[in-house]
Amino acid sequence: EPEVTQTPSHQVTQMGQEVILRCVPISNHLYFYWYRQILGQKVEFLVSFYNNEISEKSEIFDDQFSVERPDGSNFTLKIRSTKLEDSAMYFCASYPGVTDTQYFGPGTRLTVL
Amino acid sequence: GENVGLHLPTLSVQEGDNSIINCAYSNSASDYFIWYKQESGKGPQFIIDIRSNMDKRQGQRVTVLLNKTVKHLSLQIAATQPGDSAVYFCAENQRTGGFKTIFGAGTRLFVKA
């Protein structure tokens, strides 16, 4: 069964450094998403992406964040200058555009020191 | 694990008993609701969904009930098994262009063998 994959599984970085989290959505899906989950809290929407542009973003998704689909398969989330409070699990999801079900990846744990 | 949270409501049930997990949603305009299961260190996993024109939907061992009058959603798990131990999130899809998924706070289910 097709699945969303994410790399790396765990990323440790120093405060102020840039990180890029990578996702490979399911191949025939049209919509792509990033969510984050701070330890012990609920999953929070960050951004949705369709037709090579952002379709919606939350208040969390400020100028430090950006997303890109550099080729036909990868979907990336970049954090330009990480802060301690960016430490969280980051989940990528994709959606085929036909049903309403999103498919989530296994997540990347980001630790900012 | 990912969902260690002192403030997460917890439901503890005996193996073989039925479990009921409740959730209140926020937006009366939401038309699609989902229950996700999240095991430690993993991404949210789709369990069952329901549209707003229904009040009940059954899957394999799981039933979702929707009460739009009071904006309440519940997940019933029949004959709960140790493998059902996880955090369960209700979620609502809000359509704005594509859609985004808004997650509830989560309930930890602990199944005693």
Side-chain angles (χ1 to χ4, degrees):
Chain A
E1 184 175 328
E3 58 183 17
V4 177
T5 59
Q6 291 185 243
T7 55
S9 57
H10 191 187
Q11 174 90 46
V12 181
T13 189
Q14 295 291 324
M15 189 170 57
Q17 295 296 303
E18 173 184 288
V19 295
I20 297 176
L21 310 182
R22 303 182 190 278
C23 169
V24 179
I26 296 172
S27 63
N28 61 343
H29 286 194
L30 302 177
Y31 294 80
F32 313 108
Y33 303 82
W34 283 101
Y35 293 82
R36 81 171 186 190
Q37 186 178 32
I38 295 171
L39 185 64
Q41 299 186 23
K42 64 182 179 182
V43 179
E44 300 174 287
F45 169 80
L46 292 178
V47 65
S48 58
F49 192 86
Y50 171 71
N51 199 26
N52 285 319
E53 61 182 22
I54 291 173
S55 56
E56 187 162 3
K57 58 185 180 180
S58 71
E59 294 175 351
I60 303 167
F61 194 88
D62 60 21
D63 291 345
Q64 292 300 310
F65 291 86
S66 63
V67 290
E68 196 176 34
R69 189 157 162 79
D71 52 43
S73 60
N74 290 285
F75 180 51
T76 62
L77 174 69
K78 180 192 291 186
I79 308 174
R80 292 189 181 83
S81 179
T82 50
K83 303 185 285 288
L84 295 176
E85 54 265 37
D86 293 327
S87 294
M89 283 289 287
Y90 287 81
F91 294 105
C92 173
S94 70
Y95 161 61
V98 177
T99 66
D100 281 319
T101 304
Q102 289 177 76
Y103 295 84
F104 283 80
T108 292
R109 178 197 295 271
L110 176 65
T111 301
V112 182
L113 303 177
Chain B
E2 261 334 284
N3 294 304
V4 175
L6 295 176
H7 60 281
L8 264 185
T10 299
L11 175 66
S12 185
V13 299
Q14 200 66 41
E15 181 180 2
D17 288 351
N18 297 333
S19 303
I20 300 176
I21 301 172
N22 296 303
C23 173
Y25 63 92
S26 58
N27 189 344
S28 56
S30 295
D31 62 357
Y32 180 70
F33 305 89
I34 316 106
W35 279 100
Y36 287 96
K37 173 185 181 182
Q38 188 178 28
E39 296 173 289
S40 182
K42 297 184 179 179
Q45 178 189 359
F46 172 88
I47 300 174
I48 192 168
D49 57 2
I50 188 168
R51 294 197 174 278
S52 60
N53 60 352
M54 303 172 68
D55 53 21
K56 181 178 180 179
R57 189 160 189 232
Q58 287 184 293
Q60 188 175 25
R61 279 203 309 118
V62 293
T63 301
V64 55
L65 299 177
L66 174 63
N67 185 331
K68 295 183 288 296
T69 303
V70 295
K71 293 192 285 189
H72 183 268
L73 203 63
S74 69
L75 176 70
Q76 300 177 0
I77 305 173
T80 315
Q81 302 167 359
D84 295 328
S85 293
V87 177
Y88 290 81
F89 293 95
C90 67
E92 55 188 301
N93 275 5
Q94 295 183 355
R95 292 196 172 276
T96 49
F99 65 83
K100 63 181 181 183
T101 300
I102 304 300
F103 284 78
T107 297
R108 179 183 301 279
L109 176 65
F110 178 68
V111 182
K112 295 176 286 188

